[in-house]
Amino acid sequence: QVQLQESGPGLVKPSETLSLTCSVSGGSMYSYYWNWIRQPPGKGLEWIGYVHSSGSTNHNPTLNSRVTMSLDTSKRQFSLNLSSVTAADTAVYFCARGDWFDYWGQGIPVTVSS
Amino acid sequence: SYELTQSLSVSVAQGQTARITCGGNNIGTKNVHWYQQKPGQAPVLVIYRNYHRPSGIPERFSGSNSGNTATLTISEAQAGDEANYYCQVWDSSTVVFGGGAKLTVL
């Protein structure tokens, strides 16, 4: 059974970098897209980006160059860094697997506030 | 950029059929995936690649996709189907979500 679990700080100060990790148990780490998705309070889902097992990455163009993602198959983890955060980045952050997202983490709420 | 349009809300009487649509330019040429999200929970995949059901999803859930509209159909709607439903596609190597539709079962 595949399980994903997000971890990281729940509070980040404005202008700092939000860093999250998703730990994967079960299944293969290879030949998949590993995605980050967020959901601001009371709003819909927003795709942040993916890191593929090949090492390639891509992200939502609306986030410009603030997004960095990486994958460590030996640790069975992938990570998200979102720089220069503002209050608009306050959201529940999810990690998810695949082209269609068949497995999701439970989500981690992150608040941007001083 | 590619956009997906969903009705904000859909209502259905218990036991009847609910249809949730997802509009996009030539969406029929893309693979559409659907998610159900209940309050405080992570989304759950209910349909992938237009009409395929993951294991554990009831047969009451079905999907279709043609022209400019994809549709998620929920037959014999139950109170437990009340949720937000999101469609999703890939466009130019990026993921696009619809804005979500809230299904109310009366």
Side-chain angles (χ1 to χ4, degrees):
Chain A
Q1 177 72 351
V2 177
Q3 293 185 321
L4 284 72
Q5 178 72 57
E6 304 89 350
S7 60
L11 180 64
V12 182
K13 290 182 168 56
S15 80
E16 295 189 345
T17 296
L18 181 162
S19 296
L20 298 175
T21 297
C22 183
S23 299
V24 182
S25 59
S28 172
M29 294 294 292
Y30 297 98
S31 301
Y32 284 107
Y33 293 96
W34 299 98
N35 297 270
W36 290 97
I37 296 146
R38 69 181 182 180
Q39 186 169 37
K43 296 189 177 181
L45 302 171
E46 179 185 25
W47 178 73
I48 298 170
Y50 70 72
V51 52
H52 190 265
S53 54
S54 65
S56 66
T57 63
N58 200 4
H59 63 271
N60 191 323
T62 64
L63 296 171
N64 298 318
S65 58
R66 296 197 295 136
V67 174
T68 306
M69 291 166 290
S70 62
L71 175 70
D72 188 332
T73 54
S74 64
K75 292 185 177 179
R76 297 186 64 85
Q77 293 179 337
F78 62 106
S79 299
L80 167 71
N81 284 337
L82 181 64
S83 63
S84 305
V85 297
T86 69
D89 295 308
T90 293
V92 176
Y93 285 74
F94 297 97
C95 55
R97 185 186 83 164
D99 298 66
W100 49 89
F101 308 138
D102 53 356
Y103 291 98
W104 294 67
Q106 65 185 23
I108 182 169
V110 178
T111 300
V112 177
S113 174
S114 56
Chain B
S1 61
Y2 195 78
E3 293 186 358
L4 295 174
T5 301
Q6 296 185 250
S7 299
L8 279 177
S9 64
V10 176
S11 298
V12 63
Q14 190 160 335
Q16 297 304 300
T17 296
R19 292 179 179 84
I20 300 170
T21 60
C22 178
N25 186 36
N26 287 325
I27 195 173
T29 63
K30 300 180 181 296
N31 284 317
V32 180
H33 319 298
W34 291 91
Y35 303 89
Q36 175 194 70
Q37 187 182 32
K38 297 181 179 179
Q41 297 183 17
V44 172
L45 179 71
V46 294
I47 293 289
Y48 66 97
R49 284 197 287 143
N50 301 318
Y51 56 82
H52 297 272
R53 272 180 296 104
S55 60
I57 300 301
E59 291 183 10
R60 302 185 297 104
F61 288 80
S62 62
S64 63
N65 184 20
S66 179
N68 292 318
T69 305
T71 303
L72 172 68
T73 301
I74 306 172
S75 305
E76 301 176 351
Q78 303 175 359
D81 298 331
E82 274 208 354
N84 289 313
Y85 290 86
Y86 296 89
C87 55
Q88 176 243 316
V89 301
W90 284 83
D91 179 75
S92 301
S93 300
T94 64
V95 169
V96 181
F97 284 105
K102 179 174 174 56
L103 177 66
T104 300
V105 180
L106 305 172

